[in-house]
Amino acid sequence: MSLLENRVGFVTGASRGIGRASAQALAAEGVRVAIGYREDKDGAAGASALCPGSIVVRIDVTVPESVAAAFDEIQQTLGPVEVLVNNAGLRRDGLLIRMKEQDWDEVIAANLTGAFRCTKRALPSMLQRRWGRIVSIGSVAGSVGNAGQANYAAAKAGLIGFTKTVAREMASRNITCNAVAPGFVPTDLTNALLKQMEETILKQIPLGRFGTVEDVANTIAFLVSDDASYITGQVVQIDGGMVT
């Protein structure tokens, strides 16, 4: 039996895209998954239909009370969270010279502070069990930057430091913390941009293709599996060779 069989997992932002694919990948390994969503309840229900034993949970990671309520609901229904995937986030792109403070604050709150809140809330039960797996969704923008994404790149870079620190603090309790950094992966949020700049972008990718949500989800499933029990504090680039 897999170490993941009947573990309780929570994927934030799982109503579509990478989050949805990640929930499916975990469910395929026997994890009982909580599908987190903020607004798209129908999308979350559709994701849940593909994940046996899953539930749907509303969460706004920018609101502390919403995070607490979501974790309480999961514990009452499935049990304490043992596998956490910090995927919820948003973008407010624009050149720094024109960027509104609200756009900066909202992106940092959703992409970085939200991961802090969820991770902190998940840790007590992981510590009690002396077992836990945490994976946060970064981006190549956090490693190399990207014009027009100062807020997003800063948040994702912050996730790298956050991941490495949590890994060091929790390693003695058999809790691993890693991040994945996708490159160009078509999702609802990125489709328009990728179609508009497809030729230019593909020239930057040595493998010559865009990634898929399954490429990311399969890596996450590996990082929380038995086979990755000696891997922690790492950022796995899933970008076709863009960042080496």
Side-chain angles (χ1 to χ4, degrees):
M1 178 183 293
S2 167
L3 190 66
L4 294 177
E5 191 74 29
N6 290 320
R7 296 283 188 184
V8 175
F10 186 19
V11 183
T12 64
S15 62
R16 59 184 179 178
I18 290 172
R20 181 172 182 152
S22 299
Q24 286 182 252
L26 294 182
E29 296 298 323
V31 178
R32 293 178 296 147
V33 186
I35 309 289
Y37 76 97
R38 186 180 68 168
E39 296 176 349
D40 188 3
K41 186 175 183 178
D42 290 341
S48 181
L50 301 172
C51 300
S54 65
I55 63 169
V56 170
V57 178
R58 187 184 183 279
I59 182 171
D60 183 341
V61 299
T62 68
V63 180
E65 295 79 9
S66 178
V67 172
F71 275 85
D72 287 344
E73 181 179 348
I74 295 167
Q75 179 156 347
Q76 293 166 11
T77 308
L78 298 178
V81 172
E82 300 165 286
V83 177
L84 173 65
V85 179
N86 290 310
N87 174 69
L90 54 81
R91 287 169 46 199
R92 296 283 186 270
D93 294 351
L95 293 176
L96 178 60
I97 196 169
R98 300 192 191 100
M99 186 173 289
K100 300 176 182 177
E101 286 206 16
Q102 181 179 350
D103 291 339
W104 174 273
D105 291 343
E106 288 182 355
V107 170
I108 298 296
N111 292 277
L112 181 56
T113 309
F116 155 76
R117 290 194 179 109
C118 290
T119 301
K120 185 176 180 181
R121 186 61 176 75
L123 281 176
S125 60
M126 292 181 180
L127 286 166
Q128 187 176 20
R129 284 166 169 70
R130 299 186 69 87
W131 193 93
R133 298 290 182 264
I134 302 163
V135 181
S136 295
I137 312 301
S139 168
V140 293
S143 299
V144 299
N146 194 33
Q149 291 189 320
N151 47 7
Y152 185 76
K156 296 304 186 179
L159 270 180
I160 293 175
F162 177 73
T163 293
K164 292 180 178 293
T165 299
V166 174
R168 287 184 177 274
E169 291 182 354
M170 296 294 123
S172 65
R173 302 298 182 93
N174 197 30
I175 299 168
T176 67
C177 184
N178 294 288
V180 295
F184 291 103
V185 177
T187 66
D188 291 346
L189 291 177
T190 62
N191 270 332
L193 173 65
L194 295 187
K195 287 180 180 178
Q196 181 181 358
M197 302 181 64
E198 180 172 357
E199 186 175 345
T200 301
I201 293 171
L202 286 176
K203 289 179 180 178
Q204 304 174 43
I205 305 173
L207 281 181
R209 69 170 178 86
F210 294 134
T212 67
V213 293
E214 289 78 18
D215 289 329
V216 182
N218 290 339
T219 305
I220 292 169
F222 166 71
L223 287 172
V224 304
S225 73
D226 305 19
D227 294 332
S229 62
Y230 199 55
I231 299 174
T232 194
Q234 303 304 305
V235 181
V236 182
Q237 304 286 157
I238 311 173
D239 58 12
M242 284 183 61
V243 179
T244 56

